[in-house]
Amino acid sequence: MLRRERRARLEPAWACYHTELFRFDLGDMEAGIIGCAVGASFAVLLAEQLFASGCELLVSVTSSGQIDPLLPAPCFVLVEKALRDEGTSYHYLPASDFSFLLPRLSRALRGGFGALPQPVVRGSTWTTDAPYRETSHAIRTARRLGISAVEMECAALYAFSTARKRPVVCLAHVTNQMAVEHGDFEKGRDNGAHDALAAVEAVIKRIRR
């Protein structure tokens, strides 16, 4: 959408493993975007390179599947903690069930999403390496743990954030029920880009305060 509207400018100095970084104006700020960062290890590779290149705040927006049947989907989950059912996070932190949003970021984001077109709820996610791990038994277990949604990056990004003391905020865009209904992965206008950019802008403004 940003490229089609000619709002995005390719950053020629970016150098990281078959990816492109685009700069664009977001409100009164300049931001950068990298598309298709799917999977924990790839997301953290990009996070490492971004902060080495001068990034001040990383906001990850990941497509995710609904676990909590009461979740008001479509919506965004501001991920407070993520279940570590992947391998990458364990290279950053000792073994534990969850990795967490930094407390100072959690506090800064209170009350920051009231004006958005899609609701933002605080919750937890389950980070898994691959969709085929999302078995019926695993989904029931996640529901018993009070988990809102399933995705593939957040646990590793938060482990990186804690270990490296870098600010990372993860938003899980919940738009599907893991393909149990026809058209389940439809995210809306421009694949949900407008809603995602609005949520990212709200995060950045609150953190800058």
Side-chain angles (χ1 to χ4, degrees):
M1 181 268 292
L2 291 170
R3 294 179 68 182
R4 186 182 69 244
E5 297 176 359
R6 298 187 177 181
R7 294 170 54 192
R9 308 174 294 278
L10 183 66
E11 171 51 61
W14 174 248
C16 190
Y17 196 68
H18 304 312
T19 61
E20 292 180 316
L21 171 66
F22 290 87
R23 293 176 179 265
F24 66 100
D25 295 324
L26 186 62
D28 63 347
M29 306 168 287
E30 185 180 52
I33 188 168
I34 301 170
C36 303
V38 178
S41 58
F42 189 31
V44 173
L45 168 67
L46 296 176
E48 293 269 21
Q49 185 66 33
L50 281 165
F51 282 104
S53 302
C55 175
E56 297 178 1
L57 169 67
L58 173 60
V59 183
S60 170
V61 181
T62 182
S63 180
S64 58
Q66 184 175 354
I67 295 293
D68 179 358
L70 300 180
L71 205 64
C75 71
F76 291 93
V77 175
L78 171 60
V79 182
E80 295 274 10
K81 64 180 182 179
L83 183 66
R84 298 170 66 186
D85 188 26
E86 38 65 61
T88 305
S89 66
Y90 295 91
H91 292 278
Y92 287 91
L93 294 177
S96 64
D97 290 336
F98 291 91
S99 55
F100 296 86
L101 173 63
L102 293 177
R104 65 179 178 85
L105 299 179
S106 178
R107 292 191 296 270
L109 292 169
R110 289 174 185 163
F113 303 106
L116 295 182
Q118 282 193 8
V120 178
V121 299
R122 290 176 180 255
S124 57
T125 57
W126 157 33
T127 305
T128 183
D129 281 322
Y132 288 106
R133 288 188 177 180
E134 297 165 13
T135 63
S136 297
H137 173 75
I139 291 169
R140 288 194 298 270
T141 299
R143 283 179 177 152
R144 286 197 296 270
L145 293 171
I147 285 173
S148 301
V150 59
E151 41 71 33
M152 297 178 65
E153 298 86 24
C154 297
L157 286 170
Y158 280 171
F160 158 80
S161 174
T162 298
R164 298 286 190 261
K165 297 180 174 57
R166 301 290 192 178
V168 177
V169 175
C170 292
L171 296 171
H173 195 191
V174 182
T175 60
N176 69 78
Q177 297 175 332
M178 294 173 286
V180 298
E181 296 180 6
H182 179 70
D184 209 19
F185 283 89
E186 176 59 45
K187 296 181 178 65
R189 181 186 172 198
D190 288 319
N191 284 321
H194 296 275
D195 294 326
L197 288 174
V200 169
E201 184 176 3
V203 168
I204 297 173
K205 285 182 175 178
R206 295 295 293 192
I207 300 300
R208 290 176 73 190
R209 290 179 59 186

